[in-house]
Amino acid sequence: MSKPTLAQLQDFLRSEFPQSSVTLESISDSATWVRQKVDSTHLRPGGTVSGPVLMAVADVAMYLGLLAEIGIVPLAVTTNLSINFLRKPAADRDILGECRLLKVGKTLAVGEVSLYSEGDTEPVAHVVCTYAIPPPK
Amino acid sequence: MSKPTLAQLQDFLRSEFPQSSVTLESISDSATWVRQKVDSTHLRPGGTVSGPVLMAVADVAMYLGLLAEIGIVPLAVTTNLSINFLRKPAADRDILGECRLLKVGKTLAVGEVSLYSEGDTEPVAHVVCTYAIPPPK
Amino acid sequence: MSKPTLAQLQDFLRSEFPQSSVTLESISDSATWVRQKVDSTHLRPGGTVSGPVLMAVADVAMYLGLLAEIGIVPLAVTTNLSINFLRKPAADRDILGECRLLKVGKTLAVGEVSLYSEGDTEPVAHVVCTYAIPPPK
Amino acid sequence: MSKPTLAQLQDFLRSEFPQSSVTLESISDSATWVRQKVDSTHLRPGGTVSGPVLMAVADVAMYLGLLAEIGIVPLAVTTNLSINFLRKPAADRDILGECRLLKVGKTLAVGEVSLYSEGDTEPVAHVVCTYAIPPPK
């Protein structure tokens, strides 16, 4: 399967995940960047972006990073996601996610996602994620 | 700090996490059970409960399980959450989460959460979670 | 493939892992128990069993627990292992490991292993482990 | 506490972990490199470096990477280690480990370790590790 373009992945994201407000910013051979626009619905007590929002951004970043590499395979599913929360995200800045693939095998892919409050160089969270890739029909 | 009652924890959950629709079902010395009523907003393509919803339920289950043990300490924060997705959740049944604490130390607590589609005995996901407990003032 | 007997698994362990001193204690439908006899080579500064020894015991426990279920498939390989260190193991007692399988799928199996200093009821460590199962030829 | 020199860390490693054959190669602001000389005692059936050896190398790499940053604090202990096995290590080449710290807080430090068969640019395993730092006396 050929690699999709940025526009193709963006269309896929909008049609398959209409409930998600994550947007795809860029793809390259080394990294895939996504953005979560942060509003009050993403915050938790204490005025910070909630953990489940961060996990959701990472999951989408990994999914798009994988599809950018292997082509649009809608049936790939997350099998494991491990997140470390490192710093308190800013309540008034978007979350940016950068996915880097560690391995893309025939049946499993592993990647890491670093999450940032926009403008900071130190990550707010770090995620390692495994996806199972369905066998070709 | 004394252990809270079920009603106290339920009040805390409603006031601190008004955006969450997770409810606290029961607490005991060995386990804490929560419920996520599932509706269409929790589903992803393919007609199954989305991964981030499961992660959010596990995070709340662990938080409440911990507070049931150490008292209501609103500043406890998740430091690590690792989830394995095991089976496809049913789209038309609630998610139940069972938290069991593995260790409650002075500064760190570790627990596991098993997530079920209501009525099934095999978990749809398994989570291990670490919380940092702030030092008493 | 038929399920192996305890003696068959013990033979397999001795022939395939001659360098390991882990022994298989028991197998049942719900759990597999292994033992690591502890001597001075397993200790680290501070007089406690070292982390890598605990990880190795968990890995063997999961492997044997899986083979007890699916039959002796020597090519199953660990893809992920996540360990939480919970309490300081005793330097003068054996480590016991109990594996419980969470899911055995066609290509992936997930299990958890609780590790104990013999005689204690609270675990010294908790492990979640994923194995990839090779396709049948 | 001041940052130790390479020689001080090497001395510490030799005196505190006499059983380990891991050596410290280099330290810098961004990464710490270690080496595990591979011999037949590190191999498992199939002619590859065993998983527990890789985990042990990662644990030492993280420990030294942390001490290079915070000073020699012998009581820091691993609380969580999560490893993904990505590729089969070569049986006849050393394992190199590169630790990068993701966060060094007052009580917790998180880092990642990439493990390589010497000469390869793709990692054989990837590890995320959390250490608890004891409070200063």
Side-chain angles (χ1 to χ4, degrees):
Chain A
M1 190 174 285
S2 64
K3 294 189 183 185
T5 64
L6 180 65
Q8 286 172 329
L9 273 174
Q10 287 169 329
D11 286 350
F12 174 78
L13 176 59
R14 287 286 69 78
S15 63
E16 291 292 306
F17 294 92
Q19 292 156 341
S20 170
S21 55
V22 173
T23 52
L24 174 60
E25 298 280 293
S26 67
I27 56 177
S28 75
D29 281 353
S30 60
T32 299
W33 284 86
V34 301
R35 174 187 298 266
Q36 171 69 65
K37 206 164 164 45
V38 170
D39 62 36
S40 63
T41 66
H42 302 113
L43 304 183
R44 54 161 265 166
T48 188
V49 181
S50 79
V53 168
L54 297 179
M55 293 185 257
V57 176
D59 194 36
V60 171
M62 174 67 192
Y63 192 38
L64 294 174
L66 176 60
L67 298 190
E69 180 64 27
I70 68 172
I72 293 179
V73 180
L75 294 177
V77 293
T78 315
T79 59
N80 177 269
L81 185 150
S82 178
I83 184 167
N84 279 283
F85 298 96
L86 302 171
R87 295 170 186 86
K88 197 176 164 179
D92 56 357
R93 277 184 278 159
D94 290 354
I95 294 292
L96 299 180
E98 176 193 27
C99 170
R100 290 176 180 274
L101 298 173
L102 295 166
K103 184 202 175 182
V104 180
K106 283 180 195 161
T107 59
L108 289 178
V110 181
E112 62 179 331
V113 180
S114 297
L115 298 172
Y116 301 88
S117 283
E118 187 169 21
D120 281 348
T121 57
E122 305 231 79
V124 297
H126 180 266
V127 177
V128 178
C129 197
T130 303
Y131 261 76
I133 304 168
K137 290 174 188 172
Chain B
M1 191 174 284
S2 64
K3 294 189 183 185
T5 64
L6 179 64
Q8 285 172 329
L9 274 174
Q10 287 169 329
D11 286 351
F12 173 79
L13 175 59
R14 287 286 69 77
S15 63
E16 292 293 306
F17 294 92
Q19 291 155 342
S20 170
S21 54
V22 172
T23 52
L24 175 60
E25 298 280 294
S26 67
I27 57 177
S28 76
D29 281 352
S30 60
T32 299
W33 284 87
V34 302
R35 174 188 298 266
Q36 171 69 66
K37 207 163 164 47
V38 170
D39 62 37
S40 63
T41 66
H42 301 114
L43 304 184
R44 53 161 266 165
T48 188
V49 181
S50 79
V53 168
L54 296 179
M55 292 185 260
V57 176
D59 194 37
V60 170
M62 174 67 193
Y63 192 39
L64 295 173
L66 176 61
L67 298 190
E69 179 65 27
I70 66 171
I72 294 179
V73 179
L75 293 177
V77 292
T78 315
T79 59
N80 176 268
L81 186 151
S82 178
I83 184 167
N84 279 283
F85 297 96
L86 302 171
R87 294 170 186 87
K88 196 177 164 178
D92 56 357
R93 277 184 279 161
D94 289 353
I95 294 292
L96 299 180
E98 176 194 28
C99 170
R100 291 176 179 274
L101 298 173
L102 294 166
K103 185 204 175 181
V104 180
K106 283 179 195 161
T107 59
L108 289 178
V110 181
E112 61 179 331
V113 180
S114 297
L115 297 171
Y116 301 89
S117 283
E118 187 170 20
D120 280 349
T121 56
E122 305 231 79
V124 297
H126 179 267
V127 177
V128 178
C129 197
T130 302
Y131 261 77
I133 303 169
K137 290 175 188 171
Chain C
M1 191 175 284
S2 63
K3 294 189 183 185
T5 64
L6 180 65
Q8 285 172 327
L9 273 174
Q10 287 169 329
D11 285 351
F12 174 79
L13 175 60
R14 286 287 71 77
S15 63
E16 291 293 307
F17 294 91
Q19 290 155 341
S20 169
S21 54
V22 173
T23 53
L24 174 60
E25 298 280 294
S26 67
I27 56 177
S28 75
D29 282 351
S30 60
T32 299
W33 284 87
V34 301
R35 174 187 298 267
Q36 172 69 65
K37 207 164 163 48
V38 170
D39 62 37
S40 64
T41 66
H42 301 114
L43 303 184
R44 52 161 265 165
T48 188
V49 181
S50 79
V53 167
L54 297 178
M55 294 186 260
V57 176
D59 193 37
V60 170
M62 174 68 192
Y63 192 40
L64 294 174
L66 176 61
L67 299 191
E69 180 63 27
I70 66 171
I72 294 179
V73 179
L75 293 178
V77 292
T78 314
T79 59
N80 176 268
L81 185 151
S82 178
I83 183 166
N84 279 282
F85 297 96
L86 303 171
R87 295 170 185 87
K88 196 176 164 177
D92 56 357
R93 278 183 279 159
D94 289 355
I95 294 292
L96 298 181
E98 175 194 27
C99 171
R100 290 176 179 273
L101 298 173
L102 295 166
K103 185 202 175 182
V104 180
K106 282 180 195 162
T107 59
L108 289 178
V110 181
E112 62 180 330
V113 179
S114 298
L115 297 172
Y116 301 88
S117 282
E118 186 168 24
D120 281 347
T121 56
E122 305 232 78
V124 297
H126 179 267
V127 177
V128 178
C129 196
T130 303
Y131 261 77
I133 304 169
K137 291 172 188 171
Chain D
M1 192 175 283
S2 63
K3 294 189 183 185
T5 63
L6 180 65
Q8 285 172 328
L9 273 174
Q10 286 169 329
D11 286 350
F12 173 78
L13 174 60
R14 286 287 68 78
S15 63
E16 292 293 306
F17 295 92
Q19 290 154 342
S20 169
S21 54
V22 174
T23 51
L24 174 60
E25 298 280 294
S26 67
I27 57 177
S28 75
D29 282 351
S30 60
T32 298
W33 284 88
V34 302
R35 174 187 298 267
Q36 171 69 66
K37 206 163 164 49
V38 169
D39 63 37
S40 64
T41 66
H42 301 113
L43 304 184
R44 52 162 265 167
T48 188
V49 181
S50 79
V53 168
L54 296 179
M55 293 186 260
V57 176
D59 193 38
V60 170
M62 174 68 192
Y63 191 40
L64 295 173
L66 176 61
L67 298 190
E69 179 64 27
I70 66 172
I72 293 179
V73 180
L75 294 178
V77 292
T78 315
T79 60
N80 176 268
L81 186 150
S82 178
I83 184 167
N84 278 282
F85 297 97
L86 302 171
R87 296 170 185 87
K88 195 176 164 179
D92 56 357
R93 277 183 280 160
D94 290 353
I95 294 292
L96 299 180
E98 176 194 27
C99 170
R100 291 176 178 273
L101 298 174
L102 295 167
K103 184 201 175 182
V104 180
K106 283 180 195 160
T107 59
L108 288 178
V110 181
E112 62 180 330
V113 179
S114 297
L115 298 171
Y116 301 88
S117 283
E118 186 168 23
D120 281 348
T121 57
E122 305 232 78
V124 297
H126 180 266
V127 177
V128 178
C129 195
T130 303
Y131 261 76
I133 304 168
K137 290 173 189 172

